Every structure is written in structure tokens, then in C-alpha cells.
Amino acid sequence: MISIGIDSGAATTKAVVLCENKITGYAIIPTGFDFRKAGEAAYQEVLSKSGMDETGIGKILATGYGRSSIGFADKTISEITAHARGVCYLIPAAHTIIDIGGQDSKVISMENGKVVDFLMNDRCAAGTGKFLEYTAKALEISLDELGTLAQLSKNPAKISSMCTVFAESEVVSLRAQQVKKEDIAAGLIESIIQRTIVMVKKLGIKPDVAFVGGVAKNPGIVKTLEKVLDIKIKLPEEPQITGALGAALLA
Amino acid sequence: MDKIVENIVFIKSLDLFKDAFPERIDQILKNKEEGKKIVGTLCLYVPDELIYACGVDRVILCGGRSAPIEAAEQYLPRNLCPLIKSSFGSVIDQKCSKTKSCPHFGLVDLIIAEATCDGKKKMYELLNQYIPIHVMDLPQKPENQNALEYYIKELESLKCVLENLTGNKITDAKLRNEIKSANETRKLLHELYELRKRDSPPIRGTEMLKVLQQMHFLSPDGFRKNLVLLLDELKVKKRENSGPRIMISGCPMASGNMKVPEIIENRGGLIVVEESCTGTRAFWDLVDENKELMRALAERYLKIPCACMYPNDRRIDQILRLAGDFNVDGVVYYTLQFCHGYNVEKYRVAEALKKSGIPLLSIESDYSGADTEQIKTRVDAFLEMLE
Ligand code: SF4
Ligand code: SF4
């Protein structure tokens, strides 16, 4: 049986093909303006990557922020349920998931792939990938560089603004005070992590802890998170596709 | 993609509540022309019985719509509970007053307010520039020895205020009558809530909320009359409602504010009880008809478990009791942004529910639609978790 999961996120759209419970291909593309178009494009791409056409495709399940725009899906499911299922498949011992995506961040606690509790950040961009993206821009570096650079810091700057827009101006004023670039970078990462930690602590942490979402691809952030939580974090090989994978598994 | 199709069995009497607005406004206008005084209230701690025993009509002024907020923000801080801003806005917004859709401006002779949360108290100071206000004080520690006596005194002064406003006397006979009829309404609501305990309740939460939002807008008689018809209909009509059974607990949902319950039920949940001022808090306790009237009234009203009170264990006990009685699968803790009372109290409620193994989803929101998609995601995940 072949099933497909599509995770229609605010920043990226992900698709996974599952054949006899094995991943045969995945695609990650930028969402752009139109959720529906991105969903279709990801679907076509993942089919060609797995060397398939539409024949023999069983169920298609959509998840993510734009899930209801994916008209060709048979069903939709929330990304929280999907992530839990996907992570459980890849990391069976996981009980806690930290997911920092472009639009929101969440912490999920689960048993055997079933969600038992979860928390999600409030509506604004504080504590999400967007926060890092914007503030990295204020440092004139890319998101990847931010993580690498931060590891050089011995004295992380204190960023007190949670708000993305305010933090951006805070970065500018730190630059004006000639604070080292790596210290500002480290400060930004600590700030977003603090935000996540509050949620993790509220929910209670039970190992193994899996870290997923686009931000998990940043080694600097993973290191800081491990340091602050004092725990070894499990990373899926491709942390961005756990939602789509979960959807495919649940299809 | 919402998951629920409208129930096919139609309940006619629900429209009595839905369409009540113009008729009720006409009624109030007529009462006013005939010399009746009209008071506005904004909280459950102000006893209807006293107001009606004095031959006064009343209308609830709690705002649930987002439109008046813009006008209110010229006077009030942005970071303030939307219910307070909306209520204030609909009184001061001149645009609003010119249309008949706004019952507030020009209709109300006196606002009977209450010293509950800080935001409301301070708002009343500003509102006082537009409309006369009487603010009832409330004991903040209802468990205290003197609390009851103090509250009785406050009711006595309210009685004087109403008598001075109208020149009418509140006689024991009249008051007894009003208490009796208010108790009747409460009993009817209990009867209705009994039906919601069924495996397949005949009424959905969003339908029930629209009924309760009218409770202090309609006259007590008008409300009770409609309620009787509704009950009769619900008792005989076969109607199937299903889905994870949800309790809403938290801030009031004033008329116009339907966002969260609508999302919950459109996504497949079924609200079976609401622990809120537009829910059980509005009718749960009865006034003891065998006691001295003012004391009996005071005892009943002091039992309202509002988060403005300290301590408020009664509310936690009530939530746990309701969760059991209504066989609830999960609780949605609903708060308005910047409502410190209910937001802080969330922690203790969450602890208590956790101990009892009842899942909780907390949603803090305002009257805008900005967070609709996020709330849908949370609600979906919560319902999937309960299934
Ligand atoms: S929440 Fe408290 S203050 Fe607000 S209406 Fe209810 S009892 Fe009154
Ligand atoms: S919801 Fe909270 S902040 Fe708003 S009026 Fe009621 S008690 Fe006050």
C-alpha cells in the first residue's frame, strides 16, 4: 500500500511517500504565497523522486497550517498528532518532542506515538524560526551562519525582547555598542531557547527528547538546547519531514 | 474544512432567542416611554431580583463584539480585557448610538456596577462621565466571617438606590415573588442541563450559549417563557449529537463572542457544559426561599465562584464535580487576554484536572479573528488526542 503525507507549513511544504511502511521519497519546497499550489508541487516532486506516477497511490493525508487548502487530500489531521506519529516511527523511545517551525513552536508529550499533552506558543513569532530569520538579517548573516557563529561566543549578549520586531532593533543597538557578532548570535539563540524551555518545563520533560522542525537543522541551536536542558537530544535524519511522515503513516 | 454538518432536526424555539434583539429593544423603549427606569448591569453579582422587585427593567451591557473596541481604545489601554473595552466602547461610540442596533446609549438611566476586577473598576470611573453609576462593593474574601454581613449591607444600599431612582418601594412581597420566579428559571435551566448529561444530548454547546447570552438581556419573564418552549421541544425531538465531550471553563462569553465554541464544535467536539458566567455560574445555586429574604439573596450570590475572589477553591471543586456529572472527556480553559484573575487561576485548575486525569487545553484569545487558524490547530490536536 502506498500512502502520501503532505505537511503544508507556513514556510515550507513537505511531502513523504510511504510504501509498505517504508519511506521511498520525500520533498521539501518553499511554500510561497499559495498553500494549494505548493501542496501540488510537493506532491509532484515527491512522486518523481520516488520514481512513481499517480497509479497505485492509496490515501493522501494533509497536515500543517495550510492543511485545509490541500484539496486533493482524503483527510486532514493536526500537525501535533502527525509529528507524534512520525517521530515515534523514527525514534521509538521518544516521549517528548520539541518542534520549532517557521510559524510556531510546540512541545508535545506522547506515549507510543499518541499525544497525551501539548503546548503551543502564542500567536506571535516570538520563539519561532521567524524570530531567528529576522534577527539574523539584522546581523547581516544567514540562518546557518548564525548557529556556527554562536558557538564561538564566550559571553552571550542578553537579548531581553521576546518580540521579533523589538529584538531586531535591540540587535541593531547592540551592534552600535560594538558587542561582538558571535555574542549577539549566541544571545539570540539563547533567547529563543529560553522561550521553548518555559514550555518544556510546564509540560514536564520525559526522555527521549526529539527535536524536529526547520530550526533543528541548526547545530548551534541543538548544542545550546542540550546544554540548557542537560540532556542528549535525538535528531531525526531529516527533522523537517516528521509531520508529513506522520500524516503518511496515519493515512 | 469544517467537520460537522448542521443537525437536521430543527429546534424552532432556539430562534426565539436568536431573533429576540429588535423586539426586546422595542419593549425597553416602550417601558421607558411609560416612565419605567432602565438599569444596565455587567456582572452576575448584581441580583436581578432586587431590580425587578423595584419595577425597574434591566439590560446586560457586557460587550462581546469587537467593533466597539477601536473607539474604546482612545480612552482605555490596549492591553486590557476585550470584554471591558467592548462594553465601554458600545456606550461611548457615538456612531453606535445613532443606530437602533445599540441598546446602550441613551436607554440606560443608571448602571449598577460591581467592584470585581481592577480593569472593570477603573473603567467604571471613566464610564461615570457618560452615565450615572452605582458601584456595589463586594467582599473579596467571601469565606470571611464578616463577608456575608457586609454583602447584605451592600444589598441594602442597592435597595435604597433603586427606590430613590424610581420612588417605588421594594416590599417583601414583591421581592419574594421575584426570588420565586428567578428560582423557577434556575430550575428550568437545571432541567435543561440534565438533558445535556445524556450520551447524545439534544442541544449543542453553541446553541446553548446563544440561549444563555440572552439570559440577562431579555426580561426574566420573557427568558423563562422561551426557555419553557425550548425545553418542551428538546424533550420530545429526537436529535443525535456526538463527539468528544468538552467542558468550557473560564471567562464569560458575552453576546457576539462565539469564536472558540464555534471552532470546537465545527471541528467535531461537543460542548456539554460551560463553567462560566455564560454557563453554570449564572444559575447553579438557588436562593433559599425559607430564609429571611435579603440574607438568602446574599448567601446565594456570594457563592458565585468568580476568579476575582480569594480563595476560590469553590470553583475548582465545581469544575471537578461538573466534569464527573457531565462525563466530560476534556476541558477547554478559555480566557480573555489580560484577564489576570482567570489566567492566573488556570494553574490551579490545571493541577486539579491533571490529578483527576482530565485533559486540558488552554486557549487565551481576544475578539479579533487573527488567531483563528492557530486555535483550529490546537483544537484539532486536542480532539484527536481525546478520540
Ligand atoms: S467573571 Fe466575575 S466579574 Fe466577570 S461577570 Fe462573572 S462574576 Fe462578574
Ligand atoms: S473577563 Fe476578567 S478581566 Fe474581563 S471583566 Fe471579567 S474578570 Fe475582568
Side-chain angles (χ1 to χ4, degrees), chain A residues 65 67-68 70 76-81 103-104 114-118 120-123 202-203, chain B residues 1 3 267 337 354 360-361 365-366 368 370-371 373-374 376-378 380-382 384-385 387:
Chain A
Y65 197 71
R67 62 192 176 285
S68 46
I70 311 299
T76 65
I77 194 145
S78 78
E79 57 261 44
I80 292 160
T81 307
Q103 172 86 19
D104 49 39
K114 271 209 68 135
V115 180
V116 287
D117 206 353
F118 66 91
M120 225 169 124
N121 73 317
D122 287 320
R123 60 175 86 180
K202 260 193 190 166
L203 215 55
Chain B
M1 255 190 294
K3 297 175 180 167
R267 309 304 280 185
Q337 258 179 2
K354 201 172 200 171
L360 169 105
L361 171 71
S365 188
D366 60 11
S368 78
D371 53 358
E373 292 305 316
Q374 278 96 332
K376 277 186 194 165
T377 297
R378 283 171 215 216
D380 278 355
F382 189 60
E384 285 157 9
M385 184 179 120
E387 259 161 12

Side-chain angles (χ1 to χ4, degrees), chain B residues 42-45 114 116-117 120 252 277 281 304 306-308 342:
Chain B
L42 292 111
C43 176
L44 296 181
Y45 279 110
E114 76 311 318
T116 45
C117 70
K120 262 173 148 188
C277 286
R281 288 204 286 271
I304 297 169
C306 173
C308 296
Y342 284 94

Side-chain angles (χ1 to χ4, degrees), chain B residues 44 46-50 175-194 212 215-216 220 223-224 227 231 279-289 296-297 300-301 304:
Chain B
L44 296 181
V46 180
D48 255 8
E49 290 95 327
L50 275 178
L175 186 55
R176 179 163 293 120
N177 224 352
E178 290 301 331
I179 289 176
K180 237 194 162 106
S181 89
N183 273 348
E184 281 312 311
T185 303
R186 293 176 186 126
K187 284 182 208 156
L188 288 169
L189 283 165
H190 273 281
E191 223 183 295
L192 210 165
Y193 271 60
E194 274 306 310
L212 282 169
M215 185 170 177
H216 300 95
F223 182 73
R224 199 182 42 252
L227 201 56
L231 249 172
T280 54
R281 288 204 286 271
F283 68 86
W284 203 254
D285 293 303
L286 271 61
V287 180
D288 189 339
E289 292 178 31
L297 263 188
R300 188 269 168 196
Y301 280 87
I304 297 169

Side-chain angles (χ1 to χ4, degrees), chain B residues 43-299:
Chain B
C43 176
L44 296 181
Y45 279 110
V46 180
D48 255 8
E49 290 95 327
L50 275 178
I51 297 173
Y52 281 92
C54 202
V56 177
D57 203 351
R58 70 89 188 87
V59 63
I60 187 99
L61 299 179
C62 284
R65 295 181 310 124
S66 65
I69 288 182
E70 204 185 305
E73 282 180 353
Q74 293 168 34
Y75 306 83
L76 298 169
R78 267 181 66 88
N79 291 1
L80 184 70
C81 157
L83 192 151
I84 301 177
K85 283 191 286 191
S86 175
S87 310
F88 182 79
S90 43
V91 174
I92 55 113
D93 190 3
Q94 295 298 318
K95 267 202 314 296
C96 191
S97 68
K98 289 207 186 87
T99 68
K100 239 180 146 190
S101 70
C102 176
H104 305 150
F105 201 76
L107 267 187
V108 172
D109 296 294
L110 173 72
I111 289 179
I112 301 175
E114 76 311 318
T116 45
C117 70
D118 289 346
K120 262 173 148 188
K121 278 184 290 199
K122 292 287 112 180
M123 181 270 276
Y124 293 148
E125 283 181 350
L126 302 191
L127 204 55
N128 203 7
Q129 297 171 4
Y130 303 86
I131 297 183
I133 296 191
H134 170 74
V135 179
M136 268 178 78
D137 197 13
L138 298 178
Q140 304 282 300
K141 291 171 72 180
E143 243 74 67
N144 244 14
Q145 250 191 338
N146 309 323
L148 188 67
E149 301 309 321
Y150 185 73
Y151 188 58
I152 294 175
K153 287 217 178 80
E154 283 297 302
L155 291 184
E156 299 285 358
S157 8
L158 174 61
K159 195 172 161 200
C160 289
V161 168
L162 289 164
E163 289 176 341
N164 287 340
L165 178 75
T166 55
N168 303 337
K169 267 251 145 313
I170 299 180
T171 63
D172 273 7
K174 282 190 207 154
L175 186 55
R176 179 163 293 120
N177 224 352
E178 290 301 331
I179 289 176
K180 237 194 162 106
S181 89
N183 273 348
E184 281 312 311
T185 303
R186 293 176 186 126
K187 284 182 208 156
L188 288 169
L189 283 165
H190 273 281
E191 223 183 295
L192 210 165
Y193 271 60
E194 274 306 310
L195 303 178
R196 303 179 76 190
K197 291 181 182 168
R198 291 183 183 164
D199 285 342
S200 176
I203 187 165
R204 306 187 68 78
T206 37
E207 294 168 328
M208 191 66 224
L209 181 58
K210 284 185 188 153
V211 171
L212 282 169
Q213 285 174 338
Q214 300 299 320
M215 185 170 177
H216 300 95
F217 174 67
L218 296 176
S219 71
D221 287 345
F223 182 73
R224 199 182 42 252
K225 227 171 54 211
N226 293 350
L227 201 56
V228 170
L229 294 173
L230 176 62
L231 249 172
D232 287 347
E233 220 182 333
L234 290 177
K235 276 185 197 154
V236 296
K237 285 209 170 145
K238 271 241 156 314
R239 241 174 154 221
E240 301 290 322
N241 286 308
S242 59
R245 300 172 68 91
I246 303 294
M247 162 166 31
I248 289 193
S249 174
C251 291
M253 293 177 176
S255 188
N257 176 15
M258 291 294 294
K259 179 169 68 181
V260 170
E262 268 172 359
I263 292 177
I264 293 172
E265 295 207 322
N266 286 340
R267 309 304 280 185
L270 179 66
I271 300 164
V272 291
V273 60
E274 9 349 73
E275 190 279 319
S276 86
C277 286
T278 39
T280 54
R281 288 204 286 271
F283 68 86
W284 203 254
D285 293 303
L286 271 61
V287 180
D288 189 339
E289 292 178 31
N290 300 315
K291 281 194 179 160
E292 192 271 310
L293 299 177
M294 291 299 260
R295 179 164 299 266
L297 263 188
E299 280 177 357

